[in-house]
C-alpha cells in the first residue's frame, strides 16, 4: 500500500512539473507560440529529413528580406518618433558611438523584444510560403543573422566578408556611420535606405572621401 501511494505521489509530482514547464514555455514564447509550433501556420517540424540546400538558401534569403523591411521601419521609428522613444529606449544601444561586435545585442529590453519578434516572424513566413519549416532552417537562419549583425557592428570592413563583397548588404561601413553620426542608414541592407533617401548623408560622406 505504501509503495502504491508513493507511486501515485510521484506521478502527481511529475504531472505538476509538466504543467509548470508548459506554463513557463507558453508564457515565455507567447508572442511567437502560434507561429513556431506544429499547430501554427509556419508548419514547424523537429523531425524527419532536412530540406535540400536550395530550399534552405531561398528560405533564409526570403526571411532576411522580410526581416530587413521590418527592421528598417521599426529602427527608423526608434530614431524619429515624436514620443522620445530614442531617449527612453534606443539610446542605450547607441552608447556605442564606435561600434563593436558585442554591441549588436546590447539594447533596452523593449528593443530586444522588438528584435525577438522581427527575428522569428520572417522565418515563420518563409515556412508558410514553403509549406514546411524544418528546425534546421531556423538553425542556419540564426547563424546567418548573427554573422550579419556582428559583422555590421564589428567596426571593421573585412575584405573576405560576404556582407562586404555583395553590394546589397550595408556591411560594417554603413552601420558604423549610423553609430558614429547617429543619422540615417536604418536598414540591414541598402534597399530601404536607398528607396527612402535615408542614406543621403552617408553617400555624401563617401563622395567627399572619394570612396
Amino acid at each position: 500500500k505504501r509503495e502504491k501511494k508513493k507511486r501515485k505521489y510521484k506521478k502527481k509530482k511529475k504531472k505538476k512539473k509538466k504543467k509548470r514547464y508548459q506554463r513557463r514555455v507558453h508564457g515565455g514564447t507567447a508572442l511567437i507560440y502560434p507561429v513556431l509550433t506544429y499547430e501554427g501556420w509556419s508548419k514547424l517540424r523537429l523531425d524527419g529529413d532536412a530540406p535540400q540546400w536550395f530550399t534552405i538558401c531561398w528560405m533564409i534569403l526570403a526571411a532576411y528580406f522580410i526581416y530587413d523591411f521590418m527592421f528598417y521601419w521599426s529602427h527608423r521609428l526608434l530614431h524619429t518618433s515624436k514620443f522620445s522613444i530614442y531617449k527612453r529606449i534606443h539610446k542605450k544601444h547607441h552608447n556605442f558611438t564606435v561600434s563593436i561586435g558585442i554591441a549588436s545585442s546590447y539594447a533596452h529590453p523593449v528593443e530586444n523584444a522588438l528584435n525577438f519578434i522581427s527575428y522569428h516572424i520572417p522565418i515563420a513566413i518563409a515556412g508558410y510560403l514553403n509549406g514546411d519549416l524544418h528546425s534546421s532552417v531556423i538553425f542556419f537562419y540564426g547563424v546567418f543573422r548573427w554573422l550579419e549583425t556582428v559583422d555590421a557592428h564589428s567596426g571593421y570592413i573585412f575584405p573576405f566578408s560576404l556582407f562586404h563583397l555583395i553590394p546589397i548588404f550595408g556591411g560594417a561601413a554603413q552601420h558604423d556611420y549610423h553609430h558614429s553620426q547617429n543619422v540615417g542608414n536604418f536598414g540591414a541592407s541598402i534597399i530601404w535606405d536607398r528607396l527612402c533617401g535615408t542614406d543621403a548623408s552617408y553617400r555624401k560622406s563617401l563622395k567627399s572621401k572619394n570612396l
Side-chain angles (χ1 to χ4, degrees):
K1 287 181 180 180
R2 285 182 181 178
E3 285 181 7
K4 284 182 180 180
K5 283 182 180 180
K6 282 182 181 179
R7 286 174 187 173
K8 285 181 181 180
Y9 181 73
K10 283 180 181 179
K11 283 181 181 179
K12 284 181 181 179
K13 261 195 169 182
K14 283 181 181 179
K15 284 181 181 179
K16 284 181 181 179
K17 281 182 180 179
K18 278 184 181 179
K19 284 181 181 179
R20 284 175 189 171
Y21 174 75
Q22 286 171 350
R23 283 172 190 166
R24 286 173 189 168
V25 171
H26 292 184
T29 60
L31 292 171
I32 60 162
Y33 179 70
V35 178
L36 294 180
T37 59
Y38 286 99
E39 297 85 12
W41 47 264
S42 69
K43 307 299 180 186
L44 174 68
R45 63 183 176 90
L46 306 175
D47 53 4
D49 295 333
Q52 294 181 349
W53 279 108
F54 174 78
T55 302
I56 293 172
C57 288
W58 81 252
M59 289 179 74
I60 290 172
L61 284 174
Y64 176 76
F65 288 118
I66 295 166
Y67 156 78
D68 186 38
F69 172 80
M70 294 176 70
F71 176 72
Y72 174 84
W73 290 105
S74 61
H75 190 196
R76 185 173 175 175
L77 178 68
L78 289 171
H79 276 270
T80 60
S81 173
K82 295 177 182 178
F83 301 104
S84 301
I85 295 176
Y86 176 80
K87 288 181 180 179
R88 294 174 182 174
I89 297 171
H90 194 51
K91 192 175 180 180
K92 183 169 184 174
H93 180 67
H94 274 269
N95 284 341
F96 288 89
T97 53
V98 178
S99 191
I100 58 173
I102 199 169
S104 60
S105 58
Y106 183 77
H108 189 280
V110 173
E111 185 172 353
N112 277 330
L114 284 171
N115 290 335
F116 185 76
I117 295 167
S118 64
Y119 180 94
H120 287 95
I121 295 295
I123 196 64
I125 293 172
Y128 174 78
L129 293 172
N130 187 52
D132 175 68
L133 179 60
H134 192 267
S135 55
S136 62
V137 180
I138 298 174
F139 170 77
F140 288 117
Y141 172 68
V143 171
F144 175 81
R145 281 288 299 108
W146 273 110
L147 286 173
E148 184 271 332
T149 191
V150 171
D151 179 88
H153 286 87
S154 68
Y156 291 94
I157 302 171
F158 296 108
F160 53 82
S161 171
L162 289 174
F163 306 108
H164 168 65
L165 295 172
I166 301 173
I168 202 168
F169 295 110
Q174 178 177 301
H175 205 67
D176 193 58
Y177 182 85
H178 173 76
H179 269 267
S180 61
Q181 303 301 314
N182 204 10
V183 175
N185 290 359
F186 301 120
S189 76
I190 67 169
I191 296 170
W192 292 101
D193 282 293
R194 191 62 54 85
L195 289 172
C196 300
T198 45
D199 64 346
S201 61
Y202 172 62
R203 284 191 284 164
K204 280 182 183 178
S205 72
L206 292 178
K207 283 181 182 178
S208 66
K209 296 173 185 176
N210 293 318
L211 294 173

